[in-house]
Structure formats: C-alpha cells, structure tokens
Amino acid sequence: MEGKEEDVKLGANKFSERQPIGTSAQTQDEGKDYKEPPPAPLFEPGELTSWSFYRAGIAEFIATFLFLYITILTVMGVVKSPSKCSTVGIQGIAWAFGGTIFALVYSTAGISGGHINPAVTFGLFLARKLSLTRAVFYIVMQTLGAIAGAAVVKGFEKSRNFELLGGGANSVAHGYTKGSGLGAEIVGTFVLVYTVFSATDAKRSARDSHVPILAPLPIGFAVFLVHLATIPITGTGINPARSLGAAIIYNKKHAWDDHWIFWVGPFIGAALAALYHVVVIRAIPFKSKS
C-alpha cells in the first residue's frame, strides 16, 4: 500500500487514460471476463491537479512535434527533387506518415493513449473514452506540437525554399472539387478512427486473447493506406493538427483557401466512426436498455 502511495506522488496515472493504445490495451483484460468500463465523465476536476494529466499532454505535444518534423521533411525532399525517381515518391511519403504513427503511438500509448491527432481524440471523446477536459487539453497540445514541428522544418529548409516547396500544406489538388476533397477527408479519417477503435477494443482483447494484436501496427497501416489513396486528392490531411501546423508556418493564401476541409472532414469522419463502433459494432445503447 505504501508503495502505491509513493507511486502516485511520483506522478503515476492516478487519472489513467481510458482508451489505451498498444500493449496496455491488450493486457488490461487478459485472462479475465470482459466488463464494460463506465463512460468517462464530461468533466473530471481531479485531473487538473494530477501530474499524469499534464504529462500526457506533454507527450502528445512531443509526439505531434516529431510527427510533423519527420513527415514534412519527407514531403519537402520529394517535392524539391526534379526527378521523382530519385526520391521515395508518394509511396515513401505514405510510409513516412504510417511508420511514424506506428512508432509514436507505440511510444506514447502508455502515457497519453497515443492519439497524436485531434480527430482521434474527438472520436474517442464522443465514445466517452475520455473527459472533455482531457480532450480539449490534448487537442491544444497536439496543435502546438504540430506548429513547432513545421517551424523547425522551415528553419532547416530556410524560408525561401520552404515557401517554394509548398511547406507541406494541404490543399485540394487541381482537377478535384472541394466536395471531392471533403469526401476524401471524411472517408480517410473514418478508416483511421475505425481502425483505432477496433485495434484497441478491450472486449476484442478479452475474447481473442489467443490472437495477439499490437494495436499501433494496424493504426500505422491505416494511415499508410489512406495516404496512398488520397495524396493525389488533398495531400492527405486526416489530422487537423498536421494541416493547421503546416498552414500556419507556410501562411500563404493557397494554404488557407481549403483549410476548413481539413477540420470539418476529419471531425465528421471521426464522429461517424465513433457512431459506427458504439451503436453498430458494440451495440452499447441497446445493452443499456436491456
């Protein structure tokens, strides 16, 4: 008992993440009968006095910072080359996004849940996996991390090169309508958030404990596949923090014309994925009535 109290003093997760991603999601119900966790309260005052709450926010900031740093630099390398054959190309960009998400989700899962994306946080909030307090805090920290990551890339590339190369900012490509761009963002984010729900479902872990699933792997693959499909349409947002960070640092009209698409689309996609998981896959509203 004394050891547990000391652990809390040192900053353990007194208010733990309700939607763990990664190994914690796989082991929390291992060998036990599944029990539906209670929904997160809308506001949990105790979180604000817990170091684990702020530690989780810092983890989201650092993870999103690293995500933008690696991925935007990869995009810059492809765009500035006169011959795409000498670069990693679209496939390489997709791998950079998917692989980075895999590594960062795996690394931060036990601290913050490894969201690294306001759309993921929004979807989990709608499913009552985390409080509104934590959701807002995560989104703020993710956005700040994205801005910082894009700023470091601009520092490396120098302002002129950064602007000539487009700054990694998202926009709807020529030949596609705004409606097409919005649809691509909705479907792409649905794929991602649906994968997050499925890969981290505690009931699935309890039921299929003989089939080990490393949750960050399918999540990273989902990001990779969505990028392969939608880079030619929107450059692939599916992450409002990523889109906002690049747009703020690039700060050209071209980056802001379609920017609303990269917030509205991902949030709609995340909401649909949460609805599908809660109502159709898990049928939670029907269980509560029985």
Side-chain angles (χ1 to χ4, degrees):
M1 186 68 181
E2 187 176 325
K4 289 184 179 179
E5 291 177 358
E6 182 64 24
D7 195 30
V8 170
K9 289 177 184 177
L10 291 174
N13 281 335
K14 184 177 179 182
F15 297 93
S16 60
E17 173 60 38
R18 292 174 182 267
Q19 181 67 19
I21 293 177
T23 53
S24 59
Q26 294 169 233
T27 59
Q28 63 176 1
D29 290 299
E30 193 171 16
K32 300 179 181 178
D33 292 333
Y34 175 75
K35 292 182 180 179
E36 193 72 53
L42 193 62
F43 179 66
E44 204 162 12
E47 286 185 321
L48 300 177
T49 60
S50 170
W51 163 242
S52 64
F53 176 77
Y54 297 100
R55 180 180 61 182
I58 294 170
E60 288 292 311
F61 173 90
I62 295 297
T64 315
F65 166 82
L66 294 173
F67 177 59
L68 266 288
Y69 169 76
I70 294 171
T71 56
I72 298 301
L73 267 181
T74 303
V75 171
M76 296 284 98
V78 171
V79 173
K80 72 181 178 182
S81 176
S83 171
K84 296 297 181 287
C85 294
S86 62
T87 70
V88 295
I90 287 180
Q91 293 87 348
I93 292 174
W95 273 120
F97 277 88
T100 305
I101 284 295
F102 168 66
L104 294 175
V105 169
Y106 182 84
S107 300
T108 60
I111 303 170
S112 66
H115 297 191
I116 321 173
N117 185 336
V120 170
T121 300
F122 180 65
L124 295 176
F125 165 69
L126 292 180
R128 302 294 300 277
K129 301 295 185 181
L130 70 164
S131 67
L132 177 62
T133 315
R134 185 179 290 264
V136 171
F137 183 48
Y138 276 16
I139 290 173
V140 170
M141 296 302 282
Q142 291 158 358
T143 302
L144 293 176
I147 295 170
V152 169
V153 173
K154 183 176 182 178
F156 284 175
E157 292 288 342
K158 306 303 180 185
S159 292
R160 180 172 174 76
N161 279 344
F162 188 81
E163 292 174 4
L164 287 175
L165 299 175
N170 291 117
S171 63
V172 178
H174 294 295
Y176 292 95
T177 65
K178 293 183 187 297
S180 297
L182 180 62
E185 289 297 307
I186 291 173
V187 175
T189 310
F190 180 91
V191 171
L192 169 59
V193 179
Y194 172 50
T195 303
V196 169
F197 275 114
S198 298
T200 62
D201 190 349
K203 182 176 182 180
R204 178 176 183 172
S205 297
R207 183 189 63 207
D208 302 332
S209 57
H210 61 288
V211 184
I213 297 176
L214 183 63
L217 185 58
I219 294 170
F221 261 108
V223 172
F224 164 68
L225 294 172
V226 171
H227 274 76
L228 280 183
T230 60
I231 282 176
I233 304 173
T234 62
T236 309
I238 69 171
N239 184 331
R242 171 261 187 272
S243 299
L244 181 64
I248 286 178
I249 300 304
Y250 181 57
N251 198 29
K252 298 293 182 184
K253 184 177 181 297
H254 170 67
W256 294 112
D257 286 342
D258 305 322
H259 186 70
W260 64 273
I261 290 173
F262 301 99
W263 283 86
V264 175
F267 273 39
I268 292 176
L272 291 174
L275 183 68
Y276 179 63
H277 177 77
V278 172
V279 177
V280 179
I281 301 300
R282 296 296 307 284
I284 291 176
F286 305 106
K287 291 178 184 176
S288 62
K289 293 178 182 179
S290 59

